[in-house]
Each structure stands twice: as structure tokens, then as C-alpha cells.
Amino acid sequence: MAAQPKKRTPVMEISDGGLGLGLAAFIANGEDLGPMIRQGFDCGKPEALMQSLRGIVKKKEVEIEELCRLHYEDFILAVDELRGVMVDAEELKSMLSAENSHLQEVSTAVLLKLDELLEACSIKKNVGDALKILKICVKVISLCMACNNYIAEAKFRPALKTLSLIEKSYLQNIPVKLLKMVVGRQIPLIKLHIEKKACGEFNDWLVHIRRMAKQIGQVSISHASLARQKDEEIRARQREAEENSHAGPDEHKYTLDLENTDEETALDFDLTPVYRAHHIHMCLGIGEKFRDYYYKNRLMQLNLDMQISTSQPFLESHQPFLAQVAGFFIVEERVLRTADKILTQSQVEATWETAVAKITSICENQFSRMGTASHLLLVKDYITLLAAVLMKYGYQTRPLIDILDKSRDKYHQLLLTECRKQVDDVLANDSYEQMLIKKEYEYNMNVTAFHLGPSDVLPDFPYLAPFSASVPDVCRIVRSFIEDSVSYLSYGGDMNLYDVVKRYLDRLLIEVLNNCLLNRMYARSLAMSQMMQLAGNISVLEQACDLYLLYSAQQCGIPKRVAERSRSSLTARAVLKASQNAAYNALINMANSKIDEFMVLLDDVNWIVEESPDNANDYMNEVLIYLETLVSTAQEILPQEALYKVVSGAMSHISDSIMATLLSDGVKRFTASSVSGLDMDLNLLEAFADEKFHITGLADLGKETTFRDRLVEIRQLVNLLLSSQPENFMNPVIRGKNYGSLDFKKVAIVCDKFKDSADGLFGSLSNRNTKQTARKRSLDVLKRRLKDFG
């Protein structure tokens, strides 16, 4: 409610008439007269104030008298009634006194009975209190006995419940002080005893679970291994189904797996002691103490598990070591998941990070010491299984995969070293003769298995393969390398598996296979036929690069049709192609060296003979015999392109050798008869060249340059020397048509040595026919013009 405003006290001037009216108003309103009286005295008029007050008093007295006069009769009547009441009160008092006396006489016996009743009630109350105390004591004692029985039976949970009941409901209410003191003193001792018992059971569990951890890890890893094998089998069936999809639906493409692989049932380990100890400590109000105790003891166990044995190689100890780690963290995951708040997620993660750091350090150290790729692969496989197991339980296993990433180059370097030794042994033990295959299974094992020949139609046996025995052996080494590489790299890392495998395959083919082939090629320990076979082998291996690539894609899980559509290729193919050309060049050099041995016989030719020989020179006969052997051997071993290069090189070398002989200082001069003999040699060689060019099928390839064309320089020179008009060489039209391959300087040197006939005794006086004289004059003109041209 809003406060009512205070009445404003009027301030009046002190005057004789107004003062009386003001006082009357103040008194009528019931207001305080203090301010007005103070003002009267302050104004120096107290007499007037007093006069006004007396006037008001008189006025009020008159009003009172008038009021009494008006109600006098009523007042008299009231006094009379009051006197009557007083008489009645005296009578009542007498009656009450009489009744009281009578009551006192009657109640004396009753009061005696009341005293007896009160005494009986007091006894009853005392007996009730005693019974109540006895009941409490009996209850407490019975609870204590029950607690003792529970403890004796190792039933700590009901024992603690009993103790809690005694503490909360009875201890403070025990009326017997001695009993209360004894019970209060024993309760902490009993709790301490229960705590020790629970800790003892838990410690026994710690020892037991550490022994069980290795078995737990081994079981889990074996499950992971079986799952991996099953996945690989499924992928293999899928690849087979995709490759054979044109043949109809595959009955193995979709299968229902009814095998029970519930790992939880297989991993049978009991956590009851942990739950029990934790619950007991929680009931004791020291749950945090137990959690800390659990965490510290498990960390101590992990540190012991992380200490690898120095008495045995890591290859033998890595499986128990990693299985122990796997078992430890499987138990920790189960505790985290099922035991309420014993462990926190952060604690488990911190423990795992510590373990991973230690495992990483150990593995990196051990990997750096390993010298065998298969050993590193075994450890890698177990690490990937460990990662697969623990990833399933929610652990971050990327650091374990990083270990394998860091050791990837190390592994492949070891693998390349082993393959280099194997390839060296294969190449060193090869006879470099065409492989003779007598049986179908040999054909399938050495040809069909590596797509080195047709598989739909079997040849007649015995079959002579175009390669030697080292080729299928090298293919086996390459295929094994691909499988080992894929086996190591298929650990789930963030990478394109196919690209990485292809990169290492390139290294194998370039750094190992190609280098070994080159070393064998340049060792100069092979005969001509063996070098041919080596060149043929390189050609086969170069063509097999696409098959290696296809096999790599298949191993990486890429469908065959996708791999065949891919345009990717190996750098090694170009490198092997270059090595193949180097082998062909080596063959050419070997052939030329052998031909040089026969061309030495040119020194025995009589260059100044007067009569033309009836037969070819001896050197040419030897050369033709060798060329026959060379072509027949090369035709069986080398592809047509290589055959063409080798024979063409030999023909060019023969031409160059004859030309070099004519230009050399060893031949001072030669006659037309010796040139005729040279023409006869060339005719035989050209006939051989034409025959072999057609027999070998090179004519069907549309080659612009034949074997005969490789002899064009020496042929044009012989034709020029036997020409009736040698001076036509200086005619550009005739030279371009008939002598386009001849060099002016070479022609000038040869012409200076050329004599139309031998100078015999009196040779200058002998008769010459007109034809010879004309040719000599033409030759002299050519010599002069060549000198002028030079």
C-alpha cells in the first residue's frame, strides 16, 4: 500500500482570538500541541496561551456535565445490577468451598492407588529400556558374527555391507559403552584386513594375467592371420571369377561363411578379481587408491614386457614379444570397457603411446641389423598382424605402419641384393644354348607359366625354345621378387601399391637384371653362338616386361582387364631394349673381329698379277664359310631384325676392310687382273648376300637396304676400275647414278696405285691393244682431274 501523506501542521499567528480557535482545532484533530505551545512561548505570549487553554478546559467541563446529566439514570441502574452480581458471587464461593472439602475426603484412597500406578509405570519403563538396549546389543553382536563368517568364507562384499550397516545404523546407538568402544575399534581393523585380502587376490591376478597375455596375443594374432588368409582366398576367387567371367557365372564368387569366428569367446580370461577388488575398494571409500595401484602395477608389467631377450635373435623372439604386447592391450581394452572407471581413456592412450614408442625403437634398431630380406618380411608380417588386432580394439596403429614405411627401402635393397646373386648364378651356370624341352610338363613349367610361347597349341616334342635355360629361371626370380615385394608392401599404408611395386620392379630389372646381363656381355667369355643366344635372351626378357607388369597388377588386386587397358609401362623395357642393341653391337664386333682374321689373307693376294685368276681368293672362301655359319646360327636364335643388323654389319665390315687394304701402304700398286679377281670375290659375296637376304625372309620385311647394298662402295670402286671410261666418274650425272658412294680422296689414292697391267721386262715396248690404251688414257685423265679437284 502507498504510504498516506502526513498532515501538514499549520502554522498560525499568535493572536488573542485566533489562538483559541487554533488550539480547539488541534485538540479536535488529536494532533500534537507541542509546536503550538513552543511557538507561543517563542513569541513571548504565554499568558494568552494559558488563557486559551483555560477557556478550552471550561468548555469541555460544560460538555461533560451535560453528558452526565443526559445518562444519569442509566448509570444508577448499572450500579444496582453490579451489587446484585456481588451477592451471587459470595453464594457461589461458599458452595465451592463445601464441594472442595468433600472432594478432599473422597480422593485420599485414589491418590494412594495413583502412587502405586506411577511406581509400576516407572518399573515398566525401566524394563522396556533394558530390553531395547539388549536388542540393540544382540543385533550388533549378531551382525559382527555374520561379518566374521563372511570374512572366513572370503565373502568380502557382504562383509563390507554388514560393516557399513553397523557403522551407519547401530554404532552410534550402542548403549553399552564398552561394546561400542570394542566394535568401533575393530571395524577399521576388519576393513584393513579385507583390503589386504582383496589386494592379495588382485596381485595373484596380476601374475596370472601376465602369464596369460602371451597366449591371449597369440590367439588374437592367429585369428587375424586366418582372417587375412580368408580375405586373400576371397580376393583370389574374385580375380579368377573376373578373368573367367566370359565363361559364365562362377560358383565360388558368392559364398556364405558359416564359421564362427567370435574372438571374444576364444579369448577366455577372467577379470573377476579386478572387478571384485575395485568394488571392495569402492565400498571402503578408497577407489582412487586402487585405480592408482592398478595403473602403476600394469605399467610396471608393461615395462618388463618391453625388455627383449638378448640371449636369442630377434627373429626368434619377436613373435613372443609382440604377442605379449598384444595380450597386454587386449586386457587393458577389456578392463576399460567393462570395469567401471578403473581406467580412463587417456590413461590407456598414454600407455599405448609409450609402448608404441618403445616398439618403434626396438624394431628400427633390429631392422637396421638384419641382412636377410626374408627375416625382415617375417617380422613385418607379424607387425601387421599386431596392428590389425589392436586396430580392431580401437588403438591407433599408424606408428606401427610407419615403421614398415621407413624400412621399405631397406627391405627391397636386401631383396635386390639377393636377386642379384641369384641372377648372377643363373647367368654364370647357363650354357647359352637353346633350351631343349622334351615333355609337356617341362613346356608348361618353362614356357606357358611365363607366357613365353603359345599356350593354346602345344608344339611337337622335343621342342627347341628360342631362349636358353636362364630365361625361365630369371622369370622365376622376377616373379618371386614381385610376390615378396607385394607381400611386404600390402600392410595398409597410405600409398598406391601398384605404383610402388612397379617402381621397385623397375629397379630390379634395371639395376640387377640389366646390369648382370651387361656384365656377362662385356666379360668376353662367350663364344659367338653364346653371345647370339644372350642377345636372344635379352629380347625375350624385354618382351616379358609387359607380362611382369601384368603379374604385378594381378598381385596388387587389379583386375586383368583393367591392367591390360592401362597404358603404364616399365622404364626397364627401354633399358633392356638399349642393352639388346648393345648385344647386337657386340655381336657385330665379334663377327667383324672374326672376319678380320680371314681378311688378313688379303695380304697374301698378288696385287700385280698379269693374268686374271680363275677362282676367288682364299680369304673370300674363308669369309663365305664363316658367313654361312654365322647366318645359319643367327637365323635359329636371333629375331629377324637382329639377324639383319649382324649380317649387314658383317657385309659393311668386309667392304670397309677391302677398301682399307687398297688404301693402305701395304698395297703399293695393283693391276687390272687383281681387280678382276676382286670382282670375282665380290660376285660370290653378292650372290651369297642376295640368297641369304631372301632365304631368311628379310625380303618380306620391306627393308630399303639389302645385304648387297652394304657392299656398294667397294662394288662401285671395282666397277670404276674395270670401266672402259673411268673419267666418267667426274661427270656428276654418271657419278650420281653409278658411283654415288665413292669418296673423291679414296678414288684418287686408289687410282694412283692402279696400273692397267703389270710392268714386265721390256713392258714399255710391248704391244697393247687399243681398248687397253683407251682405258689407260681415260684413267690418266681421271687422275689428272682428281688432282686438279684436290
Side-chain angles (χ1 to χ4, degrees):
M1 295 175 63
Q4 295 182 355
K6 295 176 68 175
K7 295 183 179 180
R8 185 173 177 270
T9 303
V11 179
M12 302 177 62
E13 293 187 11
I14 302 300
S15 62
D16 295 341
L19 183 59
L21 294 175
L23 287 171
F26 268 61
I27 293 170
N29 293 330
E31 294 181 5
D32 187 12
L33 299 179
M36 182 168 287
I37 294 171
R38 191 180 301 109
Q39 185 178 7
F41 280 97
D42 291 340
C43 294
K45 295 180 179 182
E47 295 83 0
L49 179 61
M50 293 300 294
Q51 186 65 31
S52 296
L53 289 173
R54 291 188 189 97
I56 291 172
V57 171
K58 289 180 179 181
K59 184 178 180 181
K60 293 296 181 182
E61 288 178 351
V62 172
E63 290 178 357
I64 291 171
E65 289 178 356
E66 182 63 25
L67 183 61
C68 289
R69 186 180 61 77
L70 290 174
H71 297 284
Y72 174 74
E73 291 180 359
D74 294 333
F75 179 72
I76 296 297
L77 291 175
V79 170
D80 290 340
E81 289 180 1
L82 180 59
R83 290 179 66 87
V85 170
M86 289 175 64
V87 172
D88 292 337
E90 286 295 332
E91 292 178 357
L92 180 60
K93 181 179 178 181
S94 299
M95 290 175 65
L96 286 174
S97 178
E99 288 295 330
N100 181 48
S101 298
H102 178 71
L103 182 61
Q104 289 288 339
E105 292 176 1
V106 173
S107 62
T108 300
V110 176
L111 287 174
L112 293 175
K113 294 294 184 181
L114 179 60
D115 290 340
E116 293 176 0
L117 179 61
L118 290 175
E119 185 178 357
C121 288
S122 177
I123 293 171
K124 180 181 178 182
K125 180 178 180 301
N126 291 336
V127 172
D129 291 342
L131 289 174
K132 185 177 180 181
I133 290 172
L134 287 174
K135 286 181 180 179
I136 293 174
C137 292
V138 169
K139 183 63 176 178
V140 170
I141 292 172
S142 64
L143 289 174
C144 290
M145 292 176 64
C147 182
N148 288 336
N149 292 332
Y150 289 142
I151 293 173
E153 297 172 1
K155 298 179 179 179
F156 299 128
R157 182 177 177 182
L160 286 175
K161 286 186 175 181
T162 304
L163 288 178
S164 177
L165 179 63
I166 293 172
E167 276 189 302
K168 294 178 180 179
S169 302
Y170 295 98
L171 184 60
Q172 299 302 323
N173 299 323
I174 296 176
V176 180
K177 184 177 181 181
L178 180 59
L179 179 60
K180 181 178 181 181
M181 182 180 66
V182 171
V183 172
R185 186 173 63 247
Q186 290 297 322
I187 286 177
L189 296 177
I190 294 173
K191 288 183 176 181
L192 183 61
H193 173 75
I194 293 174
E195 180 185 352
K196 289 180 179 179
K197 284 288 186 179
C199 286
E201 290 184 1
F202 175 70
N203 290 335
D204 293 339
W205 177 86
L206 284 175
V207 175
H208 170 73
I209 204 63
R210 184 162 184 253
R211 288 198 303 265
M212 285 285 296
K214 183 191 299 184
Q215 180 181 348
I216 294 169
Q218 289 172 341
V219 170
S220 298
I221 290 174
S222 66
H223 277 285
S225 179
L226 291 174
R228 176 185 292 181
Q229 292 176 5
K230 187 176 296 184
D231 291 342
E232 290 175 354
E233 291 173 1
I234 292 173
R235 285 196 295 269
R237 288 199 297 266
Q238 288 175 344
R239 285 197 298 269
E240 183 180 355
E242 290 172 353
E243 293 175 2
N244 300 327
S245 58
H246 61 277
D250 183 29
E251 61 180 355
H252 300 297
K253 187 172 182 180
Y254 301 102
T255 58
L256 180 62
D257 185 11
L258 299 176
E259 183 181 356
N260 180 20
T261 58
D262 186 9
E263 188 174 333
E264 289 289 332
T265 59
L267 299 178
D268 185 17
F269 56 93
D270 188 15
L271 294 180
T272 302
V274 181
Y275 305 147
R276 190 174 181 181
H278 181 235
H279 180 75
I280 289 171
H281 282 77
M282 290 291 290
C283 293
L284 293 172
I286 52 174
E288 187 63 33
K289 177 182 176 182
F290 175 77
R291 289 190 287 270
D292 184 63
Y293 182 77
Y294 177 90
Y295 184 62
K296 288 181 178 179
N297 276 273
R298 290 294 281 165
L299 276 182
M300 290 171 59
Q301 287 188 338
L302 179 62
N303 290 332
L304 292 174
D305 294 340
M306 287 290 120
Q307 297 175 6
I308 62 172
S309 173
T310 57
S311 61
Q312 60 181 153
F314 186 69
L315 184 66
E316 299 176 6
S317 64
H318 77 278
Q319 291 190 2
F321 167 67
L322 296 176
Q324 185 77 25
V325 173
F328 178 92
F329 284 101
I330 290 172
V331 172
E332 292 302 274
E333 188 275 337
R334 181 83 66 85
V335 171
L336 175 66
R337 180 162 47 90
T338 60
D340 184 30
K341 297 180 181 179
I342 291 181
L343 284 174
T344 63
Q345 186 69 37
S346 60
Q347 285 178 322
V348 176
E349 290 176 357
T351 307
W352 170 240
E353 290 173 2
T354 302
V356 165
K358 184 67 174 177
I359 294 172
T360 301
S361 175
I362 292 173
C363 290
E364 287 179 351
N365 181 37
Q366 294 296 331
F367 283 173
S368 65
R369 299 180 182 180
M370 287 185 179
T372 306
S374 59
H375 293 176
L376 205 151
L377 182 61
L378 285 174
V379 179
K380 168 262 166 187
D381 284 340
Y382 217 76
I383 290 177
T384 55
L385 290 173
L386 171 67
V389 167
L390 294 182
M391 183 184 294
K392 185 170 63 175
Y393 286 96
Y395 293 98
Q396 294 295 326
T397 58
R398 180 66 205 180
L400 295 177
I401 303 303
D402 290 340
I403 303 173
L404 306 179
D405 263 338
K406 293 177 183 178
S407 303
R408 186 169 66 195
D409 289 337
K410 163 82 173 179
Y411 169 78
H412 282 91
Q413 191 58 48
L414 293 174
L415 198 59
L416 289 172
T417 301
E418 294 175 2
C419 290
R420 181 177 290 106
K421 185 178 182 305
Q422 294 172 8
V423 172
D424 278 335
D425 292 342
V426 167
L427 296 181
N429 296 325
D430 193 9
S431 63
Y432 295 99
E433 297 176 354
Q434 288 181 275
M435 189 175 184
L436 183 63
I437 299 176
K438 299 179 180 180
K439 301 292 183 180
E440 181 179 346
Y441 78 90
E442 294 180 2
Y443 183 85
N444 293 332
M445 182 174 62
N446 295 297
V447 179
T448 307
F450 305 109
H451 303 280
L452 300 178
S455 58
D456 50 347
V457 178
L458 292 176
D460 296 331
F461 297 104
Y463 168 72
L464 198 62
F467 48 81
S468 66
S470 63
V471 170
D473 289 339
V474 168
C475 289
R476 289 186 186 91
I477 294 171
V478 174
R479 186 168 65 179
S480 176
F481 176 87
I482 294 170
E483 293 170 353
D484 290 342
S485 179
V486 171
S487 179
Y488 185 89
L489 294 173
S490 57
Y491 51 76
D494 297 332
M495 62 178 173
N496 187 322
L497 178 60
Y498 176 60
D499 288 343
V500 178
V501 171
K502 187 172 71 172
R503 185 169 72 248
Y504 285 115
L505 177 59
D506 252 334
R507 287 188 59 186
L508 171 71
L509 297 177
I510 296 172
E511 298 177 13
V512 176
L513 178 59
N514 185 67
N515 288 347
C516 290
L517 290 171
L518 292 177
N519 292 338
R520 196 67 183 163
M521 185 190 308
Y522 296 135
R524 299 183 181 277
S525 60
L526 299 178
M528 187 66 185
S529 62
Q530 291 177 318
M531 182 61 75
M532 285 185 182
Q533 188 60 64
L534 178 61
N537 290 351
I538 295 175
S539 176
V540 174
L541 292 172
E542 180 260 329
Q543 294 172 6
C545 284
D546 290 340
L547 300 175
Y548 300 150
L549 205 57
L550 191 63
Y551 187 73
S552 299
Q554 182 182 3
Q555 291 297 307
C556 294
I558 299 175
K560 183 178 180 181
R561 63 179 185 278
V562 176
E564 289 175 343
R565 288 200 302 266
S566 175
R567 297 183 178 180
S568 62
S569 61
L570 292 170
T571 307
R573 180 157 195 175
V575 176
L576 287 172
K577 189 70 175 179
S579 298
Q580 181 182 347
N581 293 330
Y584 296 156
N585 293 333
L587 282 174
I588 293 171
N589 293 334
M590 291 181 69
N592 293 344
S593 297
K594 190 66 177 178
I595 289 172
D596 286 340
E597 296 177 8
F598 304 121
M599 297 305 290
V600 172
L601 297 176
L602 275 171
D603 296 339
D604 299 334
V605 174
N606 186 1
W607 294 104
I608 56 175
V609 65
E610 293 184 3
E611 298 295 332
S612 299
D614 296 330
N615 299 311
N617 291 303
D618 292 341
Y619 81 91
M620 185 53 65
N621 293 326
E622 296 293 338
V623 167
L624 289 175
I625 294 172
Y626 174 72
L627 288 178
E628 180 67 37
T629 304
L630 177 67
V631 172
S632 61
T633 304
Q635 189 175 1
E636 293 179 359
I637 300 174
L638 296 178
Q640 286 185 317
E641 187 66 32
L643 172 65
Y644 174 76
K645 288 182 179 180
V646 172
V647 178
S648 295
M651 293 296 179
S652 297
H653 186 67
I654 294 171
S655 175
D656 294 341
S657 297
I658 297 174
M659 179 65 76
T661 301
L662 295 176
L663 294 173
S664 68
D665 295 337
V667 178
K668 302 296 183 181
R669 57 191 295 268
F670 54 90
T671 63
S673 297
S674 65
V675 174
S676 296
L678 192 58
D679 178 59
M680 188 180 300
D681 294 341
L682 287 178
N683 287 333
L684 289 176
L685 187 59
E686 287 170 340
F688 175 85
D690 291 340
E691 178 189 1
K692 296 304 178 183
F693 190 76
H694 287 85
I695 288 177
T696 56
L698 292 174
D700 300 333
L701 297 181
K703 293 290 183 180
E704 296 180 359
T705 305
T706 65
F707 292 158
R708 174 190 282 268
D709 294 335
R710 299 293 179 175
L711 304 170
V712 65
E713 183 181 22
I714 191 63
R715 166 50 66 192
Q716 289 180 358
L717 179 62
V718 170
N719 289 344
L720 176 63
L721 296 176
L722 296 178
S723 172
S724 60
Q725 293 181 323
E727 62 181 309
N728 287 341
F729 177 77
M730 300 308 295
N731 185 326
V733 177
I734 296 176
R735 184 175 68 249
K737 181 179 180 182
N738 298 326
Y739 310 111
S741 298
L742 295 178
D743 179 71
F744 279 88
K745 291 182 179 181
K746 292 181 180 180
V747 173
I749 295 171
V750 171
C751 287
D752 282 341
K753 297 181 179 183
F754 180 66
K755 303 295 182 181
D756 201 16
S757 62
D759 291 338
L761 186 61
F762 306 110
S764 60
L765 300 177
S766 62
N767 294 326
R768 297 187 180 94
N769 59 44
T770 304
K771 184 176 181 180
Q772 288 178 333
T773 302
R775 185 170 63 183
K776 185 177 183 303
R777 284 199 300 268
S778 178
L779 186 62
D780 291 340
V781 172
L782 175 61
K783 290 178 181 180
R784 287 195 301 272
R785 295 185 67 181
L786 286 172
K787 288 180 180 179
D788 295 339
F789 182 81

